[in-house]
Amino acid sequence: MSDDGPLAPWFDAARDDAPLASGDWLARMEAMALAEQPVPRAVSRPVPERRSGWLREALGQLGGWPAMAGLAAACVAGVWLGAVAPSDWTGMGTTDSLISAAEPASAYDYAMLGL
């Protein structure tokens, strides 16, 4: 910022006469701030013994419960892809193939029903 405007002398005078805080005031302010800070205290709690079984260890190695949720979702997706073959997905653009892919009835059954 340049002080080339008409208020430049006023800004210069304000910078020259900037009040400084006294050392006594700063010491009191620091003491008040430190008095407001919480004092940490040591908390001693007994640590329960953890039984380490093979399942708990395997869960820890895999990444915990969030990783197990991901594995379960992948398993469900794999079962779904195994149950509904991807070859059924290619002709799902038409209504007849959509109905035949979703229902176990054949096209002959739908022709006899007049659908």
Side-chain angles (χ1 to χ4, degrees):
M1 261 175 85
S2 66
D3 293 330
D4 295 333
L7 298 176
W10 297 100
F11 290 136
D12 290 336
R15 281 189 207 102
D16 292 339
D17 292 336
L20 297 175
S22 67
D24 181 45
W25 183 83
L26 288 175
R28 284 184 296 155
M29 187 60 69
E30 180 184 10
M32 288 185 341
L34 289 174
E36 290 293 322
Q37 295 292 322
V39 177
R41 57 187 175 126
V43 177
S44 174
R45 288 187 226 155
V47 179
E49 277 190 37
R50 294 179 61 126
R51 296 181 299 186
S52 61
W54 66 271
L55 183 60
R56 185 180 302 266
E57 187 175 327
L59 183 66
Q61 292 294 324
L62 288 174
W65 287 112
M68 289 302 292
L71 286 173
C75 180
V76 168
V79 168
W80 178 256
L81 288 175
V84 179
S87 62
D88 294 342
W89 295 352
T90 57
M92 291 184 92
T94 62
T95 337
D96 294 335
S97 63
L98 180 64
I99 292 173
S100 65
E103 296 289 330
S106 67
Y108 178 77
D109 297 330
Y110 288 114
M112 295 311 285
L113 291 173
L115 296 176

